Structure formats: C-alpha cells, structure tokens
Amino acid sequence: MAYTDASLDALRRTGDELADATVAELFARGEVGTFNTLMRYVSTAGAPLPDGLPDVAREYLEATRTPPSWVDWAEMEKARLFFIDNNVHISTALSFASMPACYVVPHVAKLLSASHGLQYPSKRMAETGQFTVRLMQPDAFEAGSRFIPSAQKVRLLHASIRHHLTRENHWDTATLGTPICQEDMIGGQMFFSLLVLDSLHRLGIHMSTEGAEAYYYAWRVVGAMLGVDQDAVPPTLDEARHFLDLYMVRHMGPSEEGAQLTKQLIDLYEEVVPGTFFDPIVSALIRHLIGDTCADWLQVPRTSWDTVVKAVPHLLGVLETIEDRSPLGAWALDRLGHLTTVLELSSLTRGRVMHYAIPETLKKDYGITGVPRTQRWTPPTPTV
C-alpha cells in the first residue's frame, strides 16, 4: 500500500460515520446523561443492556458487540503470549514513548489538552493501561470480558470529542483536520503498536519476528473495533513504517500543549516512584526512547541519568539470560512484570476502575460549554 500526502489528506477529513451519527442523535435528544448513567452498569461483554437505554445507543451497541469476522484467533493468542512475556517492557514503552509521541504532534496535544485537562494526566495513562491489559486477557472477546464494552465506549468518546470541537467551529478543521480523524486514529494505532516494538528493540529486548507481527496484528483488530477504516490501515510492519514516517514528517513539532502534557507526565511518574533519587530516570527514559530532537521539542530536562539509561539494554540482556536459562527465573520475572503493571495501574487509578463516558462539555478554554526467541525481529528501516 502506497501512502502519499494526498491520500493522508483525504483521511484527515474523515471521522467515524457510525459513532458520529450515534453521538449526534444522543445530543440532539438530550439523552447523553441517561446513556452515561445506564452504561456505567454495563462493564462486561454479553451483559443485558439496561431498560431505558436510548434506541440509537442500543442499536450502536448491538452493531459493535462482536469483533471483526476476519480475526485470526491463533494470531491473537500469539499476541497475548507476547504481551505476557514482555508486559513490563510494554508498559514502559507505552508510558515513555507512545504517550510522548502523541504530545510531539501539536494538533494531537492540543486536542488532548482540550478533552482531558492538563491537570489530570493520570486519567489518560490509566485509561490506556487498563485498555491494553483488558485487550490481552485470554477472554478479551468472550462473554464476561471487559474489553469489548471498553472499545465501544472509547469509540463513542472519540465521536463526542469530534462533536464538541466542530459543532460551533471551535476547532480549525481546515488547518488541523477533523478531530480524531482517520489519519490520527491510524497514527495512534502506530504509536501503540509499531512504536512500542521500536522501543522494546531500543531497550535491547529480544523479540521474535513472529511475536512482533502478532502484537501489531492485535492492534489492527483494536483499530477495527474503534472505527478505523481497515482499507487504509497498513497490513504489514514494513508498510506501517512507511505510514508512521510520513505521518510524523507531516505533523511533528514543538507546541506549548505538548511541553505541558510532557511535564505533567514526568511529574506524575516521579510522584509514583518512591523517593527522589530515581526521579531523573523518567526524563532520561523518555529522551532515550523518543530521541533528543523530539525530547527537546517537549522540553524534557537533560539529566545525569541520560548516560546511565543507555546501559538499560545491557541490564535487560542479563535478565533475559536468567529467564532463558532458569524456569524459576522465568517465573520470577513474569511475576515481577505482572506485579509492576498492576502496581502502575493501581497507582494511576488510586485503585478505581476507569469509566469511559461521553463528555457533555470540554475545557472552557476552547469555548465549549455543553513464543520461542528465534528469528529475532529487526525494525523496518526508515522510509522518509
């Protein structure tokens, strides 16, 4: 699949027809509050929908309650095993590479500032963490799982943001494109898949080609469930590289919102880490994973840990050697990864389960009032 500026320009003008129509109808009928109240009790797949749910919402939930018919379940199981084997590293990549990558795209940073509030970075991080953990559960697509309802609600959340920002021309669509457009949704999919794999490689994690491809495949399934046009999604990691390179060249740069969001992210994790001695490692990890240019745009402080962090791949290599040679060591490291992920989520959420709801208003600042380690994976080479 060949991507060009013209083809991405077309994606910038497109949202999510099904979710957008649903949200518009809910707002037109004044039923957003009713929907949010009733959907708070729908947290598992297969649960009966509550009485009183607006018809348009019921129709949307029925239409989106199953995964795409083309899903390869064997590939999804490979992705789940890949996540189990690398969960702590994936959490690191999501926190210190994927999220800052979002912030280095000025219009995305502007949108995140409008929709989540600069003073609540833990909410965004917790939502991303919980969503990924739910995706990688063995029963993620079965009755009783939490993933499918989460995907349904996130899709409506995105549509509500588009609704708010465009209804009274409080978003410069001509310059910035449709909020959370198809191009940005695919870009986000690349941040949470290919960029995570890039970061694991940069950290020296030994990944198989099979595992990396499965992890990317899982996020293609996620994209489909979040309303991403699958005809426009890169089907392979090589094509994903081409898309991501072009997307970043088109959009990345410094912004006040990006710098502020990054500062909030650094402050958040420095608060989570006990004591102060290790605080600079947060900034150092971000700089190591996204590179000096992007880190400078985001005003990531330079610290004495910048050099130390470069030794992380050597340390992780030692740990992987222990894991490969000792069943007990493998078990211990898997448990450590699991506990680290759980602790991180618990710290970010203060022990609460995050609830995805349609925001009835946005920030007033924007004028809105209403497997085996063989065939080691090597990242695709840059294309731009």
Side-chain angles (χ1 to χ4, degrees):
M1 183 181 300
Y3 294 100
T4 64
D5 284 321
S7 65
L8 296 193
D9 284 342
L11 295 174
R12 290 212 63 67
R13 298 188 292 269
T14 309
D16 176 355
E17 184 176 351
L18 174 60
D20 289 342
T22 301
V23 165
E25 187 69 16
L26 287 171
F27 274 104
R29 296 184 180 184
E31 295 179 311
V32 173
T34 300
F35 171 83
N36 283 340
T37 298
L38 294 175
M39 284 305 293
R40 187 174 291 275
Y41 301 99
V42 180
S43 59
T44 58
L49 297 178
D51 295 334
L53 196 68
D55 288 343
V56 65
R58 187 178 295 273
E59 291 168 4
Y60 164 83
L61 294 170
E62 289 292 340
T64 58
R65 65 185 177 86
T66 57
S69 59
W70 47 263
V71 175
D72 183 334
W73 296 109
E75 199 70 8
M76 292 298 290
E77 178 62 11
K78 292 178 188 175
R80 189 181 73 85
L81 295 175
F82 179 85
F83 178 79
I84 291 173
D85 196 33
N86 297 287
N87 54 4
V88 66
H89 309 313
I90 289 171
S91 294
T92 298
L94 288 170
S95 299
F96 304 129
S98 297
M99 293 310 301
C102 294
Y103 304 158
V104 86
V105 179
H107 71 267
V108 173
K110 183 180 181 71
L111 185 146
L112 290 172
S113 298
S115 58
H116 286 281
L118 291 174
Q119 67 271 41
Y120 299 117
S122 60
K123 184 176 186 292
R124 178 70 178 179
M125 293 305 305
E127 287 173 346
T128 302
Q130 284 192 339
F131 188 80
T132 304
V133 169
R134 289 172 180 174
L135 165 66
M136 294 302 173
Q137 296 299 307
D139 60 349
F141 297 92
E142 299 175 8
S145 81
R146 291 181 176 270
F147 173 70
I148 290 178
S150 292
Q152 291 175 308
K153 294 175 186 179
V154 167
R155 189 171 176 179
L156 290 181
L157 171 65
H158 290 169
S160 69
I161 294 170
R162 281 191 294 272
H163 175 86
H164 280 306
L165 292 177
T166 58
R167 63 175 179 163
E168 295 179 2
N169 296 321
H170 291 300
W171 184 260
D172 186 354
T173 303
T175 302
L176 302 175
T178 298
I180 315 184
C181 61
Q182 287 289 325
E183 185 192 19
D184 288 336
M185 286 193 284
I186 298 173
Q189 188 175 320
M190 298 302 104
F191 290 157
F192 294 116
S193 57
L194 176 57
L195 190 56
V196 166
L197 295 171
D198 281 347
S199 297
L200 266 59
H201 185 268
R202 192 169 181 82
L203 289 170
I205 305 304
H206 191 164
M207 295 174 287
S208 69
T209 299
E210 184 180 36
E213 290 175 344
Y215 185 78
Y216 178 74
Y217 180 87
W219 279 96
R220 286 181 57 204
V221 174
V222 171
M225 299 190 69
L226 294 182
V228 178
D229 179 3
Q230 290 305 292
D231 289 337
V233 174
T236 69
L237 281 167
D238 285 334
E239 290 171 290
R241 169 68 71 219
H242 179 50
F243 180 97
L244 183 58
D245 286 348
L246 183 57
Y247 178 79
M248 296 302 285
V249 168
R250 281 165 57 87
H251 300 299
M252 66 180 180
S255 69
E256 181 180 346
E257 292 90 350
Q260 182 65 13
L261 285 166
T262 304
K263 182 180 184 303
Q264 294 289 336
L265 174 68
I266 292 170
D267 289 347
L268 170 68
Y269 276 97
E270 288 182 352
E271 179 184 339
V272 170
V273 176
T276 60
F277 179 75
F278 290 105
D279 282 356
I281 201 171
V282 176
S283 298
L285 268 172
I286 293 174
R287 185 169 286 279
H288 178 62
L289 292 177
I290 69 172
D292 285 334
T293 298
C294 290
D296 289 342
W297 283 341
L298 297 176
Q299 299 177 24
V300 177
R302 292 182 180 271
T303 75
S304 58
W305 284 81
D306 291 353
T307 301
V308 177
V309 163
K310 295 177 182 179
V312 167
H314 302 291
L315 173 60
L316 294 177
V318 172
L319 294 176
E320 285 197 325
T321 299
I322 296 172
E323 183 178 14
D324 290 340
R325 295 180 179 178
S326 167
L328 178 60
W331 175 85
L333 288 171
D334 284 345
R335 291 304 302 162
L336 175 61
H338 171 74
L339 292 173
T340 302
T341 303
V342 171
L343 174 62
E344 179 181 37
L345 281 177
S346 178
S347 299
L348 292 173
T349 65
R350 304 298 191 266
R352 300 190 301 272
V353 174
M354 304 305 295
H355 174 65
Y356 302 93
I358 295 177
E360 298 191 53
T361 60
L362 295 185
K363 285 188 67 179
K364 293 182 180 179
D365 293 356
Y366 288 79
I368 305 298
T369 58
V371 190
R373 290 189 171 91
T374 58
Q375 298 181 346
R376 185 168 184 172
W377 182 71
T378 301
T381 56
T383 57
V384 177

